[in-house]
Amino acid sequence: MATTPIILPDAPKVGMVSLGCPKALVDSERILTRLRADGYAMSADYAGADVVLVNTCGFLDSAKEESLAAIGEAIAENGRVIVTGCMGNEAEAIRARFPSVLAVTGAHQYEAVVEAVHEAAPPSMGPYVDLIPQADPGDVKLTPRHYSYLKISEGCNHACAFCIIPSLRGKLASRRIDAVLREAEKLVAAGTRELLVISQDTSAYGVDVRHETRQWKGREVRTHMTDLARELGQLRTPDGHTPWVRLHYVYPYPHVDAVIPLMAEGLLTPYLDIPFQHASPSVLKRMKRPANEAKVLERLKAWRAICPDITIRSSFVVGFPGETEADFQYLLDWLDEAQLDRVGAFRFEPVAGAAANDLPDPVPEEVKEERYARIMAKTEAISAAKLAAKVGRTVRVIIDEVGDPDEDGDVGATARSQADAPEIDGAVYLRNVPEGLKAGDFAEVLVEDADAHDLFGVILPAS
């Protein structure tokens, strides 16, 4: 007797465009992980997707324009688009410009996004398939296998005049510390060799839950940055290495001092990303930020005494309303003293809904440009001097990418030292790398040359 073959339906495919900061990238990973668990496949291009998700950034007007452009491109290329992320709170504006969008949801509203996808492209409900328990497909990662972002909280309790993050993402909401540690352990076991700890304010982790304690491996740990840092420092990769643990968005509260010895001991990556934003007390006051720049200089000196190799990165805003030439010169002089290793600068840009928009004495655009050029020249010179001092030294690196052989058969590679966070800092460019080297490997490198941002070197033979 002839049998009729069963044709199983193809899994619907979802495309994703993820914009903005690493915290938004983590949101994208979580959304895609949920959808894959629901039976969806991922599409690498517009043409193959049944629906496209655009995870937007709404922090600055320029970021909003980039988000709107991405939405427009997705509609033009695919037509079936769901918008989520920080700009989701401006649903009316999005729909006014793009009436055909299928749904608009806000930042980290995972359930609403998944429901919108279910409605736009229903998951496969094939008989004989969906009743069978499926193995855990694992989390979707949008970063290379060897590094992962670890988000420990959402939202922020600060009221900085230039920022609208609290209105976009709400007040501070810390994740349970045992859940964070469980995720970190799982990531490292699966091949992550560098964890990048992120939040809106890493130093404030646990304030909202009064630093409640949880059980972890038979002991109590507080929901606190120092306890988290200590426990992350105990992780080991399957081959016994200590993974790099890099702390981002760290406000310089006094308890940050407690993590510096962990860096000196090699348990944490000697790197702190601290959003100073400015140094002039009068500008910091108008920004509604702590004005303790003198004390910060003392603490930087103390940190370097404990951990000489510590890297401090920060970002600064130039041209904030009311910033005088004296204020800006104060910032340049402060940078001369602080000698920060990595610095990014931004011209002040009004953001709809930010309190700074109502401040008097706006700085003319041409003055912003001139000050931006001056601060970049200052920080570039500091960076060049610091990197030049590393020539002739041996540094530990993690490999990001191995190239193809050139015409002579030599192979180069791109790596990062502990002073380099992915995407935002410099790189270490390697020549004549040994056969078998791959992304995620650690190596010892002799630094042969440097420029203002990057190092150049060769891998030392294993001893």
Side-chain angles (χ1 to χ4, degrees), residues 299-451:
R299 294 177 68 208
L300 290 176
K301 183 177 180 180
W303 291 350
R304 287 168 173 152
I306 297 169
C307 184
D309 287 333
I310 190 171
T311 294
I312 308 294
R313 110 163 309 277
S314 191
S315 57
F316 296 86
V317 177
V318 299
F320 191 79
E323 181 191 59
T324 64
E325 175 60 27
D327 290 326
F328 182 71
Q329 187 59 52
Y330 189 105
L331 171 58
L332 295 184
D333 293 342
W334 188 89
L335 286 169
D336 272 330
E337 286 198 61
Q339 290 288 300
L340 303 182
D341 302 86
R342 301 292 195 188
V343 171
F346 305 90
R347 308 161 189 83
F348 171 75
E349 182 179 321
V351 180
N357 301 346
D358 298 326
L359 291 175
D361 304 319
V363 176
E365 291 301 319
E366 61 271 20
V367 176
K368 289 182 190 176
E369 290 297 327
E370 186 265 344
R371 290 176 183 172
Y372 175 78
R374 286 163 64 192
I375 192 173
M376 294 309 294
K378 168 74 68 178
T379 57
E380 186 173 280
I382 292 172
S383 175
K386 282 180 167 284
L387 294 182
K390 295 183 179 183
V391 174
R393 290 182 54 187
T394 298
V395 299
R396 187 167 177 80
V397 304
I398 189 168
I399 306 299
D400 278 337
E401 184 179 4
V402 178
D404 296 321
D406 62 16
E407 62 272 13
D408 298 322
D410 293 332
V411 176
T414 303
R416 286 177 294 106
S417 72
Q418 291 190 315
D420 306 305
E423 305 295 333
I424 58 174
D425 293 324
V428 183
Y429 295 102
L430 306 175
R431 62 177 181 86
N432 301 346
V433 302
E435 186 177 351
L437 190 76
K438 62 185 184 301
D441 286 347
F442 290 118
E444 300 297 321
V445 167
L446 174 65
V447 178
E448 299 175 310
D449 199 1
D451 61 20

Side-chain angles (χ1 to χ4, degrees), residues 235-310:
L235 293 171
R236 297 295 179 269
T237 65
D239 57 359
H241 285 99
T242 300
W244 288 2
V245 177
R246 197 180 295 276
L247 301 178
H248 288 270
Y249 312 108
V250 177
Y251 281 71
Y253 304 150
H255 65 260
V256 175
D257 295 351
V259 305
I260 309 303
L262 298 177
M263 296 177 180
E265 294 170 25
L267 299 177
L268 290 181
T269 303
Y271 179 103
L272 280 178
D273 173 14
I274 301 177
F276 289 122
Q277 307 299 3
H278 214 281
S280 164
S282 61
V283 175
L284 289 170
K285 184 177 181 179
R286 285 194 296 276
M287 287 181 168
K288 296 185 178 179
R289 294 179 64 81
N292 58 351
E293 79 294 340
K295 187 175 292 186
V296 167
L297 289 174
E298 295 175 7
R299 294 177 68 208
L300 290 176
K301 183 177 180 180
W303 291 350
R304 287 168 173 152
I306 297 169
C307 184
D309 287 333
I310 190 171

